[in-house]
Amino acid sequence: MTQYFTNERVLECLEGREIGGGVGHRADVGLADADVIVESRSEFFAALGSSADVIGIPGNARIDLSGRDFTIRGQTIVSDRGVDGSTGALLYTTDHGKDSPAWDGGSSGRGVITMRGGSRISGVRFRGPYHDHYDDPEYPGYIPLDSGTASERRRKRERRYARGMRILHDDVEVDNCELYGWPNQAMAIGASSTAVSPHVHHVYGHDCMMVGAGYVVDVFNGHPTIELSYFNATRHSVNGFGFPTCGYTLEDCVFGPSTYSHAVDMHCLAENGYSGDLTAGGRVEVRRCTFAFTHSIRGTNCQAIAFRGYPDDRYVTDDNRFLHAVDGSFENPANTGRQPVPYRQVNVGSGWHGWYASGNQYGVGERHRSGIGAPINLDDPMDGKPLVDEERRRALRAALTTLES
């Protein structure tokens, strides 16, 4: 199935805009606010152990975190992604595997970075160990199911495990960052006994795609707000565990054309070891988001959203743009996959349960409607795009020439 939009087309539309951060977005913290500027691994870890509140890393720096995992509390790590075209400093690890620092403590443990109260990461690139994985012919970044017995497959998967960050406090912010190459999660939020509600915004998350995992944001417990971000090439871009206290708010985000499965997901507890419990999260809100796909990388029909049970509160899907064509209302396909519809509710039989949808736009070929979907027009990359300096100069010269004539 040929993609209606390509990742290159989406990035072209996003260039110079706020969504995804970078050029077009100006964070409210920068290198000028830093108490200390670091450029090497030793300087970086020394600053983490100091009294510095804001640690700045120049955009040309590359810091290898391999062999380490660490916690930040009450500190901000900042670089200059988007300033004068900078891509931001690169923080990266080559660690992977269930005994590595990138998987410290296992599925309920930490990642490379544990973020606690008063911490923030802004304007950096944070790269995992699988940013250059090329085994799969359909999509090079996808880590497919291995061959062999179930135990052999499990061992192979465990050798790949890696998590970028674990967020364990409400007062945490991740913004203006590029997160990629994480086979399990770029970020995991909360824990079974810890519900937290951090703020994630202006993030570009991509190439986190492993069978059975592959998330940019994985919400174990709590209710993060995720805004103005671009996600592409994931298994699920945003996922939830299923606790009644587990949910999220997605606003003004774009989900790109490369996906292995639906982009927005909420498990039910029965799928995570709570036998027979079909609770699938508390409250989930998806507003003004754009889903730029109808098919998976395998060419099969693929929904944008799947919630896998009953909400303890409700599901809200308002004013989104789906490329899936819908003729009036449509029935919930429930556990029957591969249906060419924008969303489904699983494990509930027929009908919709606690699901409220209004104002959504469906199908391709229609003009982008203002206020529907993210503030981006995939049909016209220049629609509403701020002029860059050279364009402004050309426009000004043209206006002056007109006046002089």
Side-chain angles (χ1 to χ4, degrees):
M1 171 68 184
T2 302
Q3 293 175 337
Y4 188 79
F5 293 117
T6 63
N7 185 45
E8 291 73 21
R9 173 60 174 266
V10 177
L11 290 174
E12 179 187 7
C13 293
L14 292 177
E15 185 179 3
R17 301 177 187 269
E18 284 200 68
I19 296 174
V23 177
H25 169 63
R26 285 294 176 267
D28 60 0
V29 64
L31 292 177
D33 303 300
D35 298 309
V36 59
I37 298 292
V38 303
E39 299 188 49
S40 69
R41 175 185 169 102
S42 60
E43 292 173 341
F44 176 68
F45 283 107
L48 288 174
S50 75
S51 60
D53 292 325
V54 181
I55 301 168
I57 312 174
N60 61 354
R62 297 167 58 93
I63 296 179
D64 185 355
L65 304 176
S66 301
R68 292 290 301 267
D69 64 280
F70 57 93
T71 297
I72 59 173
R73 177 189 285 107
Q75 289 181 306
T76 293
I77 298 171
V78 65
S79 189
D80 60 353
R81 181 171 179 248
V83 178
D84 296 327
S86 173
T87 56
L90 176 65
L91 304 179
Y92 69 97
T93 186
T94 58
D95 292 337
H96 55 90
K98 71 183 183 70
D99 297 321
S100 79
W103 196 247
D104 188 5
S107 60
S108 59
R110 301 183 294 179
V112 176
I113 304 174
T114 298
M115 299 185 70
R116 294 191 178 273
S119 60
R120 181 177 180 182
I121 299 178
S122 179
V124 306
R125 290 174 292 151
F126 189 30
R127 191 182 77 192
Y130 279 87
H131 66 285
D132 57 355
H133 185 79
Y134 298 112
D135 283 2
D136 190 81
E138 296 295 332
Y139 188 86
Y142 176 60
I143 304 172
L145 184 68
D146 292 298
S147 59
T149 65
S151 60
E152 288 171 339
R153 293 197 302 269
R154 184 183 66 254
R155 287 194 294 271
K156 290 177 182 178
R157 279 172 45 80
E158 288 175 344
R159 288 198 291 267
R160 299 186 177 110
Y161 284 173
R163 174 188 297 124
M165 60 183 76
R166 190 66 176 259
I167 297 175
L168 293 175
H169 200 278
D170 293 332
D171 185 20
V172 168
E173 186 172 357
V174 178
D175 67 287
N176 196 29
C177 293
E178 182 179 0
L179 311 171
Y180 61 109
W182 299 98
N184 291 79
Q185 306 111 345
M187 66 176 73
I189 294 174
S192 58
S193 59
T194 306
V196 299
S197 301
H199 191 194
V200 178
H201 59 100
H202 298 95
V203 161
Y204 176 27
H206 62 95
D207 290 282
C208 300
M209 194 189 300
M210 180 172 75
V211 63
Y215 319 118
V216 178
V217 182
D218 194 5
V219 184
F220 282 89
N221 208 353
H223 192 112
T225 297
I226 305 163
E227 302 176 288
L228 291 159
S229 296
Y230 176 45
F231 304 98
N232 187 50
T234 64
R235 180 168 166 267
H236 305 310
S237 298
V238 181
N239 177 65
F241 187 87
F243 292 120
T245 48
C246 176
Y248 44 82
T249 295
L250 288 170
E251 293 186 331
D252 302 300
C253 293
V254 178
F255 297 87
S258 297
T259 185
Y260 181 76
S261 185
H262 50 276
V264 175
D265 182 53
M266 176 62 75
H267 285 264
C268 69
L269 290 175
E271 296 171 314
N272 285 317
Y274 294 77
S275 179
D277 193 338
L278 296 179
T279 302
R283 185 180 184 93
V284 179
E285 303 178 22
V286 184
R287 291 192 169 94
R288 300 183 308 280
C289 291
T290 295
F291 297 88
F293 65 89
T294 57
H295 289 70
S296 74
I297 59 171
R298 296 288 187 245
T300 57
N301 291 321
C302 184
Q303 293 91 20
I305 299 171
F307 299 140
R308 307 192 198 191
Y310 299 90
D312 189 64
D313 187 347
R314 63 176 55 192
Y315 304 132
V316 178
T317 50
D318 289 346
D319 301 323
N320 300 291
R321 185 182 181 192
F322 301 95
L323 296 193
H324 302 77
V326 173
D327 184 12
S329 62
F330 61 95
E331 294 183 0
N332 174 28
N335 286 337
T336 305
R338 311 291 188 233
Q339 297 297 315
V341 294
Y343 41 81
R344 63 181 174 136
Q345 190 173 9
V346 184
N347 299 322
V348 297
S350 62
W352 303 97
H353 304 268
W355 193 312
Y356 299 84
S358 67
N360 298 302
Q361 179 179 350
Y362 305 97
V364 297
E366 296 185 31
R367 290 290 299 171
H368 170 79
R369 300 205 305 265
S370 178
I372 305 299
I376 171 178
N377 185 356
L378 298 180
D379 304 307
D380 182 357
M382 296 306 297
D383 182 17
K385 179 180 286 190
L387 294 173
V388 298
D389 289 345
E390 181 57 35
E391 291 172 325
R392 289 193 184 97
R393 285 194 289 270
R394 286 199 298 267
L396 180 58
R397 285 196 296 269
L400 291 173
T401 301
T402 301
L403 289 172
E404 290 169 355
S405 60

